[in-house]
Amino acid sequence: MKLPGLSRIKKVGFVLIIINLSLTFLLTGQSAITHPLGELSPDSDEVISYKGSRNYKFTERSDLRVYQNGKYVGLQSKIVSAFIIPGWTDKGLVYEGDFFVDQDTNRNKTQVALGIHEAIPSSFLINDDGNLTMLVDNGYPSFRSFPAYSAHKLKKGDVWEAKAIRAVDPLSKGIITKMPIYVQYIYTGDDVYNGEPVYLISAQWATRYNMGGTTMYVDWGGDKELSYAQGSHKATVIVSKQTGAAFVIRDNVDETFVYTDGNKYQFKGTISLFTEYPPAIDRSKLIAALKHMELLDDDEAENLLQRPIYEQLKKKLEENQTNKTAPITVDNTEAGIRLTIQNLQFKADSAQLLPGEEKRLDQIAEILKLAEGAQFMIEGHTADTGYEAGELMLSKERAYSIADALSKRGISKERFICKGSGSKKPIASNDTAEGKALNRRVEITILD
């Protein structure tokens, strides 16, 4: 995989673009964000084979003490989370996630809120041979090709090294800088985590960005005001013996970033990464409610009891879909049961709902309350008016509007993930008023 702007600069003046960052998914180059999707064969030098996946939640939590020019300025707590969902596109099986960043700075028990950032899209493609290609790269996940495993069978105490990439934005400026890191791993033993046998691995590496010497690294697409960075990392990694997934990574950090204005920021603390799988949803309760509302017949109810396989999803995308005009339609997707609210009535060019939508929202809320512990993806769509940027913003605002309306019906806002797709995913022609009405919709997926 080629990362634009990331280069290695020799002192003699040669510039080498790093292009060999594709993940071959041997027991080397395995990414913390992607490896939960694979299966590790018993023989440690076998290739990881991708045979489909299940959705999972990825969380990165940072708790760091911040010092500016040697003076303590506060505790920075940041949580980055994403729900990763597979789906078929014309490019093949693509994994998508919308990352959400929640960050606060605390000092002397006084909280200074820095706000919740908008969703940050990310998607990547994994081919049959295991190679990973980023399709949408906005800086997340921040650790890539980490952890990586030796291609040889291991015994306790064995040591190996591998290269990875780390994407950073220390001052939350919205400018991502990518830094190559060289990690030394040690297999330290075995244990049991949540009832599952695991490997225990320690990892350590140094932060060295634009530090000079015979070779230095600069991300020309990164923060141009970042002069250099240095520091140390020591991490503990808990890896599933069954799947090769890193359940938990705990990284102890001590690093310093120096900027062109002379300011020096030191960060000390921990960064923790978690892989979690969503709770099993009792679909029978949902289906009973949908049938009671006359939104499903018996055949459709039977279909929802089954999770679709990828070939069925692929075939569905290749076929011309029949336009649906029911007020609420129900579909089975790999991400979960999807409820589509057709032709929602909003004030023109606004996210303000018009009177008359209360009944449909009441029905949706009643259904969602049955999915205990689940998260809900709300995706807004618009008709094509020829103004892509405006359509994207409006669809996102309408998704948030629906989430707000449902939260007022007793569902916690924290369970909603909102995104807007504008007019990029039409289900009907935009050449007619009827088709545009069908394209103006909001989809709510019960993630499982």
Side-chain angles (χ1 to χ4, degrees), residues 191-198 242 247:
D191 209 330
V192 175
Y193 178 79
N194 286 345
E196 183 169 336
V198 295
Q242 180 180 1
F247 287 138

Coordinates of all heavy atoms in Angstrom, one line a residue, residues 191-198 242 247:
D191 N -1.6 -17.3 28.7 CA -2.6 -17.1 29.8 C -4.0 -17.3 29.3 O -4.2 -17.8 28.1 CB -2.4 -15.6 30.3 CG -2.8 -15.5 31.7 OD1 -3.7 -16.2 32.2 OD2 -2.2 -14.6 32.4
V192 N -5.0 -17.0 30.1 CA -6.4 -17.1 29.7 C -7.0 -15.7 29.9 O -6.9 -15.1 30.9 CB -7.1 -18.1 30.5 CG1 -8.6 -18.1 30.1 CG2 -6.5 -19.5 30.3
Y193 N -7.7 -15.2 28.8 CA -8.4 -13.9 28.9 C -9.8 -14.1 28.5 O -10.2 -14.6 27.4 CB -7.7 -12.9 27.9 CG -8.4 -11.6 27.8 CD1 -8.1 -10.6 28.8 CD2 -9.2 -11.3 26.8 CE1 -8.7 -9.4 28.7 CE2 -9.8 -10.0 26.7 CZ -9.5 -9.1 27.7 OH -10.1 -7.8 27.7
N194 N -10.7 -13.8 29.5 CA -12.2 -13.9 29.3 C -12.5 -15.4 28.8 O -13.3 -15.6 27.9 CB -12.7 -12.9 28.2 CG -12.8 -11.5 28.8 OD1 -12.8 -11.3 30.0 ND2 -13.0 -10.5 28.0
G195 N -11.8 -16.3 29.4 CA -12.1 -17.7 29.1 C -11.5 -18.3 27.9 O -11.7 -19.4 27.5
E196 N -10.7 -17.5 27.2 CA -10.0 -17.9 25.9 C -8.5 -17.9 26.1 O -7.9 -17.0 26.6 CB -10.4 -17.0 24.8 CG -9.9 -17.4 23.4 CD -10.5 -16.7 22.3 OE1 -11.6 -16.2 22.4 OE2 -9.8 -16.6 21.2
P197 N -7.9 -19.0 25.6 CA -6.4 -19.1 25.7 C -5.8 -17.9 24.9 O -6.2 -17.7 23.7 CB -6.1 -20.4 25.1 CG -7.3 -21.2 25.3 CD -8.5 -20.2 25.1
V198 N -4.7 -17.3 25.4 CA -4.1 -16.2 24.7 C -2.6 -16.3 24.8 O -2.0 -16.9 25.7 CB -4.6 -14.8 25.3 CG1 -6.0 -14.6 25.0 CG2 -4.3 -14.7 26.8
Q242 N -6.8 -18.6 19.2 CA -7.7 -19.2 18.2 C -7.8 -18.4 16.9 O -7.8 -18.9 15.8 CB -9.1 -19.2 18.8 CG -10.2 -19.8 17.8 CD -11.6 -19.9 18.4 OE1 -11.8 -19.5 19.6 NE2 -12.5 -20.4 17.7
F247 N -6.8 -8.8 21.5 CA -7.9 -8.4 22.3 C -7.6 -7.1 23.0 O -8.5 -6.2 23.1 CB -8.2 -9.5 23.4 CG -8.9 -10.7 22.9 CD1 -8.5 -11.9 23.3 CD2 -9.9 -10.6 21.9 CE1 -9.1 -13.1 22.8 CE2 -10.6 -11.7 21.5 CZ -10.1 -13.0 21.9

